[in-house]
Amino acid sequence: MKNFQYVRPTQQQAALETLAQDDKAMFIAGGTNLIDLMKRNVVLPEKLVDINRLPLRKIEPTSKGVRIGALASNSEVAEHPLIREKFPLLSQALISGASAQLRNMATVGGNMMQRTRCYYFYDAALPCNKRQPGSGCGALQGINSKHAIFGFSDKCIAVHPSDMCVALVALEATVLVTGPKGERQVPFKDFHRLPGEHPERDTNLEKNELILAVDIPASSFTQNVHYLKVRERASYAFALVSVAAALDLDKGTIRNARLAMGGVAHKPWRLMEAEKALVGKPVSEETFQQTAALAMQGAKAFEHNAYKLKLAPNAITQALKTAAGLS
Ligand code: SF4
């Protein structure tokens, strides 16, 4: 691992200024992804600004819902009584991610900033437009069994690895960030980017900005929710496909719905057309199968991930059935 400087500010302003002073400085919180990337020479910061001493750990109710500090650990959020009672979809998604030890270290902000697990990205000897723009995409003609079926470009076909973010996009969260131009709110659906011509950029966070918190509005999605994660082994694996499903039911009829997928695109993949189509429909397997078919419109597979074209609609149907209490 390349040598680096390490600083540990206690004030937000000092953290921002320290980052801005050095083009090769990076924030570090839990470090559960960044340290791996540094060990493999994928990311080479010259200075790490450890933000763990900033007061960004609180999980507190607000007039509109809940505010979760960027440094709250994944475990703290998943187990918090307010999250379990009012936002169980988020709690389920978090518990399905990583291992207990990693969830204790990983923070909410870090979870949002984690990089893809595309193998070509992690091997500095192989071409990867995300790691080295212009070098090519090793996965396009290579092994692409875990890769995207939606929203990819000819520059990158990677997927975003988070479970938490799939639930947050379905719950219409907002991200509070601060930086040289002051604070701003970013709708969660706009926080992560599709690869387009610039797969090196995963998010719309501007240079020298810091994530402060995530706000989730209160909603009626407190009962009929389910986070379904399909993976290669029972624990500690990234999703091949995941589905965040939330239903608001009125005696067997769907009053409102939220649906998002993970493991299928470069960002958490919200399924708004499918959500709209569910409203007013009866709870039934047929309804959910039709929704899944609608959700899959526009999906396209590569050489090794065609199984996702079948797995994804099955997962959507199953997640909705479980959320509705049908299975
Ligand atoms: Fe790199 Fe993206 Fe291609 Fe993977 S899919 S090799 S991350 S450019």
Side-chain angles (χ1 to χ4, degrees):
M1 190 193 271
K2 197 177 153 216
N3 282 346
F4 56 89
Q5 289 178 27
Y6 176 75
V7 289
R8 199 156 47 158
T10 53
Q11 304 289 330
Q12 187 176 300
Q13 195 53 34
L16 288 167
E17 283 169 12
T18 309
L19 191 83
Q21 282 160 10
D22 190 336
D23 231 25
K24 295 204 169 162
M26 291 181 79
F27 288 133
I28 185 166
T32 56
N33 186 210
L34 180 56
I35 299 297
D36 279 351
L37 293 165
M38 289 170 65
K39 284 181 183 167
R40 293 169 184 237
N41 294 325
V42 175
V43 177
L44 300 167
E46 290 183 356
K47 184 185 283 180
L48 287 185
V49 183
D50 183 336
I51 55 172
N52 282 297
R53 289 188 175 181
L54 304 187
L56 300 173
R57 235 170 241 288
K58 276 193 190 152
I59 302 167
E60 51 192 355
T62 64
S63 58
K64 293 181 181 162
V66 66
R67 171 162 288 184
I68 303 171
L71 290 175
S73 76
N74 287 191
S75 305
E76 286 165 345
V77 179
E79 290 158 16
H80 195 283
L82 176 62
I83 303 298
R84 288 174 61 164
E85 185 191 339
K86 303 285 187 195
F87 307 96
L89 185 64
L90 175 59
S91 188
Q92 287 181 23
L94 280 163
I95 288 167
S96 78
S99 64
Q101 292 88 341
L102 283 166
R103 291 195 294 272
N104 287 340
M105 285 301 293
T107 63
V108 166
N111 191 320
M112 291 160 59
M113 296 301 291
Q114 66 177 304
R115 312 297 305 271
T116 182
R117 264 52 178 196
C118 173
Y119 355 90
Y120 298 90
F121 177 67
Y122 280 78
D123 189 335
L126 298 175
C128 171
N129 287 324
K130 185 179 283 297
R131 176 172 27 77
Q132 193 181 347
S135 64
C137 171
L140 259 177
Q141 304 301 328
I143 297 170
N144 44 42
S145 58
K146 307 272 175 72
H147 289 70
I149 53 174
F150 290 110
F152 48 80
S153 73
D154 62 355
K155 298 285 188 294
C156 179
I157 60 171
V159 296
H160 193 264
S162 172
D163 294 297
M164 178 193 82
C165 294
V166 182
L168 286 176
V169 80
L171 293 169
E172 296 192 334
T174 307
V175 189
L176 177 64
V177 304
T178 189
K181 294 181 193 156
E183 290 189 4
R184 67 187 180 107
Q185 300 267 3
V186 185
F188 207 89
K189 68 177 175 47
D190 300 329
F191 185 82
H192 296 95
R193 293 163 51 96
L194 291 179
E197 292 296 306
H198 292 284
E200 70 278 10
R201 286 195 66 191
D202 290 342
T203 73
N204 284 315
L205 205 61
E206 298 291 344
K207 193 170 162 57
N208 299 324
E209 280 190 322
L210 170 68
I211 303 170
L212 297 177
V214 172
D215 290 307
I216 315 177
S219 71
S220 51
F221 302 111
T222 56
Q223 298 291 326
N224 295 100
V225 303
H226 188 61
Y227 187 77
L228 176 66
K229 179 171 179 175
V230 184
R231 49 189 156 182
E232 286 179 327
R233 56 179 183 235
S235 73
Y236 192 28
F238 293 96
L240 298 171
V241 168
S242 67
V243 179
L247 297 170
D248 177 6
L249 302 180
D250 180 20
K251 298 187 194 115
T253 300
I254 300 163
R255 199 158 34 196
N256 202 354
R258 297 279 175 79
L259 204 53
M261 271 198 283
V264 296
H266 197 260
K267 60 187 286 186
W269 196 247
R270 177 109 181 252
L271 298 162
M272 292 183 81
E273 289 304 313
E275 289 173 3
K276 277 187 219 152
L278 280 166
V279 175
K281 297 269 169 56
V283 167
S284 71
E285 177 145 6
E286 193 188 356
T287 297
F288 298 150
Q289 282 172 346
Q290 286 169 356
T291 303
L294 179 63
M296 292 303 293
Q297 283 183 3
K300 181 180 171 298
F302 293 88
E303 188 177 355
H304 304 117
N305 68 349
Y307 71 93
K308 288 194 182 186
L309 298 181
K310 211 165 187 182
L311 181 62
N314 286 346
I316 291 171
T317 305
Q318 187 60 44
L320 285 166
K321 278 173 66 180
T322 308
L326 283 188
S327 51

